[in-house]
Amino acid sequence: MARFFQIEKIFEKDKALKEAYTAYINELIEKGYMVKCVNNSSEPHCYLPHHVVMKDSTTTKVRPVFDASRKTSNGIALNDLLRPGPKLKKDLFNISIRFRTHAVAFTADIGKMYLHVKLDEQDQPYHKILWGDSVEKPIEDYRLTTVTFGVNISPFIAVATVQHHAKNEMENFPEACSIILNDSYMDDVSSGCDTVEEAIQRRSEITHVLQQGGFPLKKWASNCEELLESIPEDEIELKTKELDGYKYVSTLGLKWFFEGDKIGFKMDIERNALKYTKRAILSQITTIYDPLGLMAPVTMYNKILMQEIWKEQCDWDEEVSEQIATKWNALRGELPLIKNIKPKRWLECSNTKKIELHGFSDASEAAMGACVYMKVYKDDEIHVNLVAAKTKVTNVTTVGTLSGCFGREIDEHGEKIVKIGNIRNTFLLRQ
C-alpha cells in the first residue's frame, strides 16, 4: 500500500505519465491479463508492489514492473521461494556472429511476449496487486493472469514456452524452427538467409509457427526491400530511429543501419559532468556496448583507465586525481566519434569458393588482446572483415610477477610449449 501511495505522488507531479500508465493497466484489465479478485482472502496469496518504468521502445513507452523480491509480512519474498530455472537463452555473442553471415538479414520481435504466456489459475493468487486509477476511487485487489515482469522465473517460463512450440513444429518446418531455437534472444529474432526467396519463405514459416503458439511477430526490419514488400505493413517496423539521417533499429544490443547494412554502437556519454568520480566515470564507460569487440582499440583505453582509477583506491563518490581526470576528459571528448564507426554487418561469406579465418594476438604490460578476421575468396575478389575481438587488462596483482620468466621448450611430440615459471604453480600453455 505504501508503494502504491508513492506511485500516486509521482502521478500528481506528472499527469502525462499517469495517463500512459493508467492506459496500460486498463488495457491489461480489458484483455483479461489482470482481473479483479473475489472475496477469498483465506487462500494462500502474495501481494506484489509495482512501479512504473520507462522503455526505449517504439511501441510501449511505459510498463509496470512488479517487485517480487520485496519481503512480505512474514519476511519472505515470492522470489525467495521460486527457482529461476535453467538457462535457455542462447549466447548473445554466437547469435551476433551468425547474424553477420547472412546476405539477406531480418529482425523481428514477439509483441508483448510475457502477456501471451498464461499462469496456471492456482498460481495467480501469488500475483496480486493493488490498483485504483483515481484518488477518489477505492483501491481494489487484482490478480495477474499472465507471466509477470519482476518474477525471477518469468524469463525461463516465457522462453521455454516459445521453444516448446518450435520443437513441436520441427518436423514440419525444420529451418524455421531452428531459427526460433538458435537465433532468438528472449523476444527478439535476428537471423537471415542467403537468398531473397529463401528469406521470404523462412519469414512466412517463422510467423506461422509462432502464431500457432499465440505469439505475434511484429516490427520486421530487413536490408532487403523485396522481403519487406512481402510483409503486411502493420507488421513492419515503421517507427525507426535516426542518426545523422540514417535509419536504424536496435538488435542484439547494437544499432543496425539496415538500409546501408551497417552496424553502429550504443553509448550514452554525458557531455557536461560536474564531478569526475569513480562511480561517474565507470557508469559512462559501461554505456558503451560492443559485444563482438569491433571497437576493441577504443574500449581497451577505457579498461586501462578504469584500472588506473582502481589503483588509486579512491571511494566511489570521491573525485579522482587530476591526472586521471585529464585523461578521462580527453578520452570523453573523443568518444562521441564512435558514431562514425559503422563496420559492415555482412561478412560476405555466402556462395564463396574458399573461406579462411586468421587469428592474431598480442600482449603488453598493460593489456592483452586477440582478434579474428575472415578472408573470403569470391571469383576474382578477396574480402577481409573483422569478425570479433577480445581484450583484457593485465591483472593488477600479477603485473611484473611474470616478467622475465617466460621460456620455450619442445615437448615429446615436437610441439612448442610456452613455460611460465617462478610462480607457485607452473602453467603450460600449448601454442
Side-chain angles (χ1 to χ4, degrees):
M1 185 74 77
R3 292 279 288 271
F4 182 75
F5 287 153
Q6 290 177 7
I7 294 178
E8 287 194 327
K9 288 181 180 179
I10 295 173
F11 288 163
E12 288 177 5
K13 300 176 183 178
D14 193 336
K15 301 298 183 184
L17 180 62
K18 177 184 178 180
E19 290 179 3
Y21 195 73
T22 301
Y24 189 92
I25 294 290
N26 287 338
E27 182 183 357
L28 297 183
I29 297 172
E30 291 169 6
K31 294 186 176 181
Y33 302 142
M34 176 174 145
V35 298
K36 194 177 296 185
C37 293
V38 295
N39 187 21
N40 55 354
S41 58
S42 61
E43 66 178 359
H45 61 272
C46 176
Y47 284 90
L48 304 179
H50 57 99
H51 60 274
V52 60
V53 297
M54 305 297 293
K55 282 186 64 182
D56 181 20
S57 170
T58 57
T59 53
T60 309
K61 293 296 183 183
V62 301
R63 76 166 179 225
V65 170
F66 304 94
D67 190 358
S69 296
R70 179 75 174 183
K71 303 292 184 183
T72 58
S73 56
N74 62 4
I76 301 174
L78 180 62
N79 279 348
D80 293 339
L81 304 177
L82 297 175
R83 295 181 179 179
K87 179 184 175 183
L88 294 181
K89 290 186 292 186
K90 299 300 180 181
D91 185 78
L92 190 61
F93 179 87
N94 292 338
I95 298 175
S96 301
I97 291 289
R98 285 196 296 272
F99 183 60
R100 300 188 67 198
T101 62
H102 306 295
V104 180
F106 53 74
T107 63
D109 70 47
I110 300 171
K112 299 178 180 177
M113 179 183 185
Y114 279 17
L115 297 181
H116 298 292
V117 183
K118 191 172 183 178
L119 285 174
D120 191 287
E121 287 193 11
Q122 66 180 352
D123 296 325
Q124 293 176 16
Y126 298 97
H127 296 72
K128 286 187 176 182
I129 71 167
L130 299 175
W131 176 248
D133 58 8
S134 172
V135 293
E136 290 81 19
K137 297 180 181 179
I139 299 174
E140 296 180 297
D141 290 8
Y142 288 83
R143 57 184 169 86
L144 302 166
T145 63
T146 64
V147 169
T148 306
F149 286 102
V151 179
N152 62 2
I153 199 174
S154 294
F156 165 75
I157 294 176
V159 174
T161 305
V162 171
Q163 292 186 359
H164 168 77
H165 290 287
K167 290 174 182 176
N168 281 349
E169 294 288 341
M170 180 63 78
E171 188 175 341
N172 299 322
F173 307 102
E175 293 86 0
C177 291
S178 178
I179 289 174
I180 295 172
L181 292 171
N182 299 310
D183 290 346
S184 298
Y185 191 81
M186 281 304 294
D187 57 349
D188 293 320
V189 178
S190 302
S191 189
C193 301
D194 290 339
T195 66
V196 177
E197 295 75 20
E198 187 183 2
I200 292 174
Q201 180 67 21
R202 295 293 167 266
R203 187 213 70 85
S204 177
E205 293 174 352
I206 293 169
T207 301
H208 172 76
V209 171
L210 291 177
Q211 280 181 344
Q212 291 292 97
F215 296 101
L217 272 178
K218 302 288 185 181
K219 298 194 288 188
W220 286 90
S222 175
N223 62 328
C224 176
E225 195 66 34
E226 191 174 341
L227 172 60
L228 292 176
E229 290 174 356
S230 69
I231 304 173
E233 187 173 350
D234 61 338
E235 296 179 8
I236 297 176
E237 175 62 281
L238 298 175
K239 299 179 181 178
T240 54
K241 302 172 186 177
E242 285 195 15
L243 178 65
D244 297 335
Y246 297 96
K247 294 181 180 179
Y248 72 88
V249 294
S250 296
T251 182
L252 305 174
L254 299 168
K255 297 176 180 177
W256 180 30
F257 297 89
F258 53 92
E259 292 178 333
D261 208 11
K262 304 274 188 178
I263 293 175
F265 305 93
K266 290 185 175 182
M267 65 172 186
D268 185 17
I269 302 299
E270 188 178 345
R271 295 295 186 93
N272 301 311
L274 298 177
K275 291 184 178 181
Y276 291 156
T277 64
K278 180 163 71 173
R279 187 188 306 276
I281 295 175
L282 180 60
S283 66
Q284 293 193 63
I285 286 176
T286 53
T287 65
I288 304 173
Y289 187 67
D290 179 26
L292 296 179
L294 302 181
M295 289 197 303
V298 177
T299 56
M300 189 68 256
Y301 281 106
N302 295 338
K303 294 179 181 180
I304 294 173
L305 181 64
M306 201 63 225
Q307 188 181 69
E308 291 180 7
I309 296 175
W310 279 101
K311 288 179 182 178
E312 289 189 345
Q313 298 184 341
C314 58
D315 292 334
W316 280 99
D317 296 310
E318 178 184 347
E319 291 197 38
V320 298
S321 66
E322 184 177 347
Q323 180 183 8
I324 296 292
T326 301
K327 288 183 178 180
W328 169 242
N329 197 42
L331 181 60
R332 187 175 61 109
E334 295 183 351
L335 286 178
L337 296 174
I338 288 175
K339 69 179 183 179
N340 298 327
I341 302 175
K342 297 186 182 71
K344 292 186 292 186
R345 178 204 58 83
W346 186 35
L347 296 172
E348 302 177 86
C349 53
S350 303
N351 302 318
T352 59
K353 291 182 177 180
K354 180 181 176 183
I355 293 176
E356 295 176 354
L357 292 177
H358 295 260
F360 302 87
S361 64
D362 199 3
S364 69
E365 290 187 2
M368 61 194 79
C371 60
V372 174
Y373 285 84
M374 181 179 285
K375 185 177 183 180
V376 179
Y377 295 82
K378 270 190 174 182
D379 298 326
D380 296 329
E381 297 180 341
I382 295 177
H383 303 276
V384 179
N385 290 290
L386 176 64
V387 178
K390 189 80 171 178
T391 60
K392 183 179 177 64
V393 292
T394 307
N395 194 326
V396 175
T397 59
T398 60
V399 171
T401 305
L402 305 181
S403 178
C405 62
F406 288 91
R408 295 179 183 272
E409 61 183 39
I410 306 298
D411 69 2
E412 65 273 19
H413 302 293
E415 294 182 293
K416 284 185 179 180
I417 297 292
V418 178
K419 188 175 183 180
I420 306 175
N422 300 335
I423 52 180
R424 185 171 183 179
N425 294 312
T426 299
F427 299 93
L428 296 180
L429 307 180
R430 188 175 300 275
Q431 280 191 325

